[in-house]
């Protein structure tokens, strides 16, 4: 009876999925491509997802597509390429209308691909392996590195020259900055707060990692009057921002984002495969003499359960990405789950919101990078190891200028200050060495 019920459930689910897929495939996208004066563009190539078409003499095209969100790319000989994201069509409608305005190559202003060829080796010392770094507002750099068998925090000036250094414990993981701007040296077992004292870097007594990491992860913003705390719940699919007034300690909910569907799926998966690693080991030890030594099937089942638990912890259990950033004189929350960005004053008053769709472009790495000056923000994309950054318009949410890091694949610890991108690159000829580079963010 159970097998029959399970079979019928799978059959109904399969029929429903097939029906939904058929319905989506029946959506017709009708579009018109014009130039900036409104004149139709003939013979422009249009690609939506994996489907292609060309415009007729009136600039019109028609494509059937079933996968949304979908990337649309339009190309014409005399025009700059047009790229955007088509979100989900309106309910119960089988037709979507698209209007594309293309700009001439000599007058393009909004969508610019920047060639950044000039790259500089920031700290050209071959013996120094860069583990992490932090660019400061004045252009100086706090560098965490190993040199020979020793480890240091080194202070570099804007030209990359060493100003001073402080010896540190071996094998740090990273440098982290808290919401108040203080730097912390992170190890696997402990975290040290640091401070610049005179011509050296002072290091305070350590805190246990499990206690201090919560302060670094959960504090999103702080100033003289208030602090914003981030909290995850419900399989990390519920995110809440709380604004706390320091003087009165009064708190209020600033914003909530939730993925209920994934939360239900994770709970179902966890319930069906509920057995912790410690339970598996305890069960294995208790039955070792009479089962494990002779029963390979039991051992195989235990390994499968352990693998399932690891898959849940490391792969499935990923928190929703709705980060908060201080930009200009406001607080921005980029809620990728709900395709919107919400703007607040620093006192927690909601000002406005705008749609975002850059997260549906191919290669989106679920990472936003603000510049050090906190005036703009970039979305990170990666394809075949090549990283590109798209500047996000803080008024309408559109992805505008694009810059690629072409010469170095899989860059790490990307930071942006003024006209430069800073990053760490691992030398493929010597995988034990990391070097820090910078390149121009705009044309020179």
């Amino acid at each position: 009876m159970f097998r029959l019920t399970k079979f019928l459930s799978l059959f109904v689910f399969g029929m429903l999925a097939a029906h939904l897929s058929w319905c989506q495939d029946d959506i017709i996208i009708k579009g018109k491509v014009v130039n900036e004066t409104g004149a139709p563009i003939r013979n422009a190539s249009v690609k939506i997802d994996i489907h292609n078409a060309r415009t007729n003499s009136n600039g019109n095209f028609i494509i059937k597509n079933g996968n949304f969100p979908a990337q649309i790319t339009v190309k014409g000989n005399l025009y700059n390429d047009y790229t955007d994201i088509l979100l989900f069509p309106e309910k119960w409608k089988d037709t979507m209308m698209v209007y594309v305005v293309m700009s001439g190559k000599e007058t393009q202003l909004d969508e610019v691909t920047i060639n950044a060829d000039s790259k500089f080796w920031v700290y050209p010392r071959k013996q120094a392996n860069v583990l992490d770094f932090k660019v400061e507002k004045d252009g100086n750099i706090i560098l965490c590195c190993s040199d020979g068998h020793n480890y240091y925090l080194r202070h570099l000036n804007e030209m990359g020259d060493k100003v001073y250094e402080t010896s540190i414990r071996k094998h740090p993981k990273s440098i982290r900055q808290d919401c108040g701007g203080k730097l912390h040296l992170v190890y696997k077992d402990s975290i040290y707060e640091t401070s610049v004292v005179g011509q050296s870097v002072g290091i305070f007594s350590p805190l246990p990692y499990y206690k201090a990491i919560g302060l670094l992860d959960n504090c999103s913003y702080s100033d003289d009057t208030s602090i914003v705390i981030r909290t995850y719940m419900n399989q990390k699919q519920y995110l809440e921002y709380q604004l706390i007034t320091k003087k009165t300690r009064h708190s209020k909910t600033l914003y909530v984002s939730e993925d209920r569907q994934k939360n239900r799926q994770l709970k179902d998966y966890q319930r069906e495969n509920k057995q912790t690693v410690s339970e598996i080991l305890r069960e294995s030890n208790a039955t070792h003499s009479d089962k494990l030594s002779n029963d390979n099937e039991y051992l195989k089942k235990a390994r499968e359960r352990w693998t399932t638990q690891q898959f849940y912890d490391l792969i499935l259990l990923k928190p929703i990405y709705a980060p908060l950033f201080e930009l200009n004189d406001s607080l921005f929350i980029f809620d990728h789950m709900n395709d919107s960005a919400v703007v607040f004053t620093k006192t927690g008053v909601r000002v406005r919101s705008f749609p975002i769709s850059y997260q549906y472009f191919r290669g989106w790495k679920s990472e936003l990078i603000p510049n050090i000056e906190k005036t703009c923000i970039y979305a990170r994309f990666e394809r075949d190891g090549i990283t590109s950054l798209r500047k996000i318009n803080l008024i309408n949410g559109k992805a505008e200028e694009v810059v690629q890091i072409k010469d170095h694949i899989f860059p790490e610890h990307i930071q942006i200050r003024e006209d430069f991108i800073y990053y760490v690159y691992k030398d493929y000829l010597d995988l034990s060495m990391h070097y820090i580079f910078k390149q121009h963010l705009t044309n020179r």
Side-chain angles (χ1 to χ4, degrees):
M1 183 66 183
F2 173 77
R3 290 184 177 178
L4 178 60
T5 304
K6 186 175 182 181
F7 172 78
L8 290 175
S9 299
L10 292 173
F11 177 77
V12 172
F13 178 80
M15 292 294 292
L16 180 61
H19 175 70
L20 291 175
S21 175
W22 177 83
C23 288
Q24 286 189 339
D25 286 338
D26 202 32
I27 292 175
I28 299 173
I29 303 172
K30 294 182 179 180
K32 186 177 183 67
V33 181
V34 300
N35 62 19
E36 294 168 307
T37 65
I41 299 177
R42 178 183 180 183
N43 203 35
S45 67
V46 181
K47 183 175 182 179
I48 299 177
D49 196 31
I50 61 173
H51 309 290
N52 296 277
R54 286 194 174 272
T55 57
N56 60 18
S57 58
N58 295 319
N60 298 320
F61 69 88
I62 184 170
I63 289 179
K64 285 186 178 182
N65 183 59
N67 297 317
F68 292 92
Q71 180 171 317
I72 176 173
T73 303
V74 184
K75 297 183 178 182
N77 291 334
L78 302 178
Y79 301 90
N80 295 291
D81 294 352
Y82 175 93
T83 305
D84 205 349
I85 295 293
L86 301 180
L87 297 177
F88 299 95
E90 296 182 35
K91 290 183 178 180
W92 315 118
K93 289 190 176 182
D94 58 3
T95 303
M96 176 186 290
M97 306 301 297
V98 177
Y99 193 75
V100 176
V101 180
M102 302 187 71
S103 59
K105 288 186 177 180
E106 69 283 359
T107 61
Q108 183 189 25
L109 294 176
D110 293 330
E111 189 72 22
V112 182
T113 299
I114 299 171
N115 297 316
D117 297 326
S118 300
K119 294 177 177 61
F120 307 90
W121 196 356
V122 174
Y123 189 49
R125 177 175 170 80
K126 292 185 178 181
Q127 295 84 356
N129 176 35
V130 177
L131 303 174
D132 201 354
F133 72 99
K134 183 67 178 69
V135 181
E136 299 180 312
K137 290 183 179 180
D138 58 6
N140 294 341
I141 296 174
I142 298 292
L143 192 69
C144 178
C145 66
S146 63
D147 200 337
H149 297 289
N150 301 312
Y151 289 75
Y152 301 96
L153 273 181
R154 284 180 173 158
H155 196 140
L156 311 180
N157 61 23
E158 195 170 0
M159 302 304 295
D161 301 321
K162 184 178 71 174
V163 180
Y164 50 82
E165 68 182 15
T166 299
S167 297
I168 59 174
R169 273 180 55 194
K170 290 185 176 181
H171 308 302
K173 292 175 59 179
S174 63
I175 298 175
R176 292 281 300 275
Q177 187 174 35
D178 63 23
C179 57
K182 296 180 180 179
L183 292 181
H184 299 258
L185 195 57
V186 180
Y187 289 81
K188 288 184 177 180
D189 60 350
S190 53
I191 296 179
Y192 296 77
E193 182 182 332
T194 69
S195 179
V196 176
V197 180
Q199 288 295 307
S200 65
V201 179
I203 300 179
F204 298 95
S205 299
L207 290 174
Y209 179 87
Y210 70 92
K211 287 186 177 181
I213 194 63
L215 298 176
L216 291 178
D217 287 343
N218 298 328
C219 183
S220 298
Y221 170 76
S222 178
D223 58 24
D224 295 336
T225 60
S226 60
I227 184 171
V228 178
I229 301 297
R230 179 184 66 181
T231 304
Y232 279 107
M233 292 180 284
N234 296 344
Q235 319 288 324
K236 297 184 180 180
Q237 303 310 305
Y238 179 96
L239 174 60
E240 180 179 270
Y241 286 101
Q242 285 278 338
L243 187 143
I244 303 172
T245 304
K246 291 183 177 180
K247 186 175 181 179
T248 63
R249 296 190 179 182
H250 176 265
S251 66
K252 70 172 184 178
T253 300
L254 184 68
Y255 189 80
V256 170
S257 179
E258 183 177 14
D259 189 343
R260 294 183 179 178
Q261 181 179 0
K262 188 174 181 181
N263 182 33
R264 288 195 298 268
Q265 292 171 345
L266 288 173
K267 284 184 177 179
D268 292 341
Y269 184 90
Q270 189 182 39
R271 185 166 49 248
E272 293 171 3
N273 302 277
K274 188 176 181 181
Q275 189 175 26
T276 65
V277 175
S278 60
E279 290 172 340
I280 293 172
L281 294 176
R282 186 166 56 250
E283 188 176 320
S284 299
N285 291 331
T287 59
H288 182 271
S289 59
D290 58 348
K291 278 192 173 182
L292 285 183
S293 57
N294 300 314
D295 192 349
N296 291 330
E297 187 64 28
Y298 181 85
L299 179 60
K300 180 180 178 181
K301 183 180 294 186
R303 286 174 174 171
E304 287 178 350
R305 287 183 174 179
W306 183 86
T307 302
T308 299
Q309 185 67 30
Q310 291 295 98
F311 180 74
Y312 172 82
D313 291 336
L314 301 178
I315 305 299
L316 298 182
L317 196 60
K318 291 185 176 180
I320 58 176
Y321 188 60
L324 180 147
F325 297 98
E326 177 191 1
L327 296 169
N328 296 317
D329 59 349
S330 303
L331 301 179
F332 285 70
I333 297 177
F334 293 87
D335 188 350
H336 300 96
M337 176 63 203
N338 294 303
D339 302 332
S340 65
V342 187
V343 186
F344 297 86
T345 66
K346 292 182 178 180
T347 58
V349 178
R350 181 165 176 160
V351 178
R352 62 186 177 90
S353 63
F354 54 88
I356 54 176
S357 58
Y358 55 82
Q359 66 272 25
Y360 295 112
F361 284 107
R362 295 184 183 93
W364 161 241
K365 293 294 292 181
S366 296
E367 182 180 0
L368 293 177
I369 305 172
N371 64 349
I372 301 299
E373 297 81 12
K374 300 179 181 179
T375 57
C376 57
I377 197 165
Y378 294 80
R380 180 177 180 177
F381 298 83
E382 190 175 284
R383 297 189 68 181
D384 300 324
I386 303 299
T387 291
S388 61
L389 303 177
R390 291 176 177 264
K391 185 178 180 181
I392 306 304
N393 188 308
L394 297 180
I395 302 299
N396 56 30
K398 293 289 186 180
E400 296 181 340
E401 300 173 355
V402 182
V403 60
Q404 285 188 338
I405 302 176
K406 294 182 178 180
D407 294 345
H408 295 145
I409 61 174
F410 301 113
E412 301 175 358
H413 307 295
I414 296 175
Q415 297 171 47
I416 301 169
R417 177 186 174 270
E418 292 186 348
D419 201 27
F420 287 96
I421 303 173
Y422 295 76
Y423 60 91
V424 169
Y425 168 66
K426 180 180 288 188
D427 189 345
Y428 68 94
L429 296 176
D430 184 359
L431 298 180
S432 66
M433 300 300 293
H434 297 64
Y435 301 109
I436 179 172
F437 289 85
K438 69 178 181 179
Q439 73 169 46
H440 284 299
L441 184 61
T442 55
N443 285 322
R444 285 274 177 158

